[in-house]
Amino acid sequence: MPSASLARTFAAAGFAAVVAGVLAVSALHVLPPTAAISPIRRTISEYAYYETGWVFNLGVLILAAGSLAVFVALAYAKLIRPASFASLGLLLWSAGLAAVVYFPKHDWSVGPSLHGHIHRMASLVAFLSLPLGALLVTVMWRRERRWRGSVWLTAIPALAALAFFSVIIGAYLLTPYTGMPWWDVIPLGFVERGLATFEVLTVLALGRWAWRASADSDPAATPLDR
């Protein structure tokens, strides 16, 4: 199968999987028993504690698989090199999501735990690596007139995700001055959901970009092959 057809197939599959994963997790916001969880103060990972936690885990894993498919589509469309920092960022996003499921959120009120630390680090790596990787892709293609729209559609949610991420970092750095746990300084649930929303929009923008690039009749005229 030609690379263009493979890129289109993976882009479509990835786009559909990402949407399906998001819908699964979003449903937990309105269906019992997880509808009672505050979306303002409580994190998304808490959905894994309930009997419907399998829906959360499945949704996140589908999102990770869909994101991985988008990465493959980008590679087949020759928008990224498989061995590059941009690729590393996108792969760490998928790996981080899988780790979040394998190492569930920990109840820190009973003391620290190894899997709790891994969960937290995996979340940080995933949330930071995706927008950085996506921005590296946009930087590489910023001078190509044909991709100007795709560059902006990808860069805007990636930058917005980093803005939400910076709120979490800022709250953590201010802990010595506030005298409060950093997660109580900000509406953590709202910030995390805003961050997750723009992360997903970034993946969808990349998937759209890969789909459009797969229809390019002159793939050789790209910075990757010059």
Side-chain angles (χ1 to χ4, degrees), residues 3-9 11 73 76-77 79 147 208-217:
S3 295
S5 297
L6 286 170
R8 214 163 15 247
T9 299
Y76 272 120
L79 289 172
W147 297 134
R208 173 189 176 275
W209 194 350
W211 174 273
R212 291 196 61 205
S214 67
D216 196 317
S217 60

Side-chain angles (χ1 to χ4, degrees), residues 3 7 69-82 87 210 224:
S3 295
V70 168
F71 162 75
V72 175
L74 291 168
Y76 272 120
K78 297 186 177 181
L79 289 172
I80 60 173
R81 291 189 180 92
S87 294
L224 295 187

